[in-house]
Amino acid sequence: KNQVEQSPQSLIILEGKNCTLQCNYTVSPFSNLRWYKQDTGRGPVSLTIMTFSENTKSNGRYTATLDADTKQSSLHITASQLSDSASYICVVSLPSGNTPLVFGKGTRLSVIA
Amino acid sequence: GAGVSQSPRYKVAKRGQDVALRCDPISGHVSLFWYQQALGQGPEFLTYFQNEAQLDKSGLPSDRFFAERPEGSVSTLKIQRTQQEDSAVYLCASSRRTSGTDTQYFGPGTRLTVL
């Protein structure tokens, strides 16, 4: 079964600190890997998208990395802000294209003052 | 519209009732997706439309679930004879084309509670 595992399940950090979220996947082959941010009560919003040939992709304070050999990805958040509190979901797309996407369960990040 | 909208935002149904959930995708988006998200879980794929054609419905959990997009824009997810295990947030997403790298834009979801 294609799976996407994320760790940690939840994380609490102080405002201004950095953090790194992990994603391990068994989906193979795959088309691309995405990270989404989901605020409570809202739909997920895309942060980054990487094809299997890309190693890193940045979006402001968010930097995603991908190691296709070890099937690992990480999302690094720099200088965290209170508004970063959300669930961060790792998503892998199968080679067939848009469908289907395989979602991880997400990491719940809480940034506190 | 500016984004994907869904209605209603919240729905409470008694077990056995039928419900219909609506999704208005971003205007002009070819692809439309439905996902089910249980509490504390990531979204799980239900079904996919390319214009009015339902190309993949492999994620629908039972024949009580039915989705349509008759004119290639608005979509409706219908659940017949709802059960308690149907309680979840139902997310709709759309993307501009059918490319595998296209970003999917999600709506806010409909939270369904079956009593």
Side-chain angles (χ1 to χ4, degrees), chain A residues 32 34 38 41 43 98 103 105, chain B residues 9 37 41 43 99-100 102 107:
Chain A
N32 55 75
R34 314 160 190 233
Q38 186 173 23
N98 266 327
F103 287 77
K105 293 183 179 181
Chain B
R9 288 296 312 278
Q37 186 173 24
Q41 304 293 315
S99 166
D102 247 17

Side-chain angles (χ1 to χ4, degrees), chain B residues 56-67:
Chain B
D56 189 340
K57 54 182 180 179
S58 61
L60 296 177
S62 77
D63 58 7
R64 296 186 295 104
F65 287 71
F66 172 78

Side-chain angles (χ1 to χ4, degrees), chain A:
Chain A
K1 179 181 177 181
N2 291 321
Q3 286 192 337
V4 178
E5 301 289 339
Q6 293 188 241
S7 63
Q9 186 175 14
S10 62
L11 181 63
I12 301 174
I13 62 173
L14 292 175
E15 185 180 14
K17 297 297 185 181
N18 304 334
C19 67
T20 300
L21 314 180
Q22 300 292 341
C23 173
N24 297 330
Y25 59 92
T26 59
V27 178
S28 182
F30 72 97
S31 173
N32 55 75
L33 185 146
R34 314 160 190 233
W35 282 91
Y36 278 85
K37 176 185 179 187
Q38 186 173 23
D39 292 310
T40 301
R42 298 192 175 186
V45 174
S46 179
L47 294 176
T48 63
I49 179 170
M50 293 181 289
T51 65
F52 63 87
S53 61
E54 294 180 289
N55 300 118
T56 186
K57 185 67 70 75
S58 291
N59 178 4
R61 296 181 295 103
Y62 302 103
T63 299
T65 64
L66 174 62
D67 186 334
D69 292 332
T70 62
K71 295 185 173 59
Q72 294 180 327
S73 177
S74 65
L75 180 69
H76 186 75
I77 304 175
T78 305
S80 61
Q81 300 176 358
L82 298 178
S83 59
D84 292 333
S85 297
S87 287
Y88 291 84
I89 306 175
C90 176
V91 186
V92 178
S93 173
L94 297 179
S96 57
N98 266 327
T99 175
L101 297 181
V102 183
F103 287 77
K105 293 183 179 181
T107 292
R108 178 70 200 174
L109 174 65
S110 299
V111 181
I112 60 175

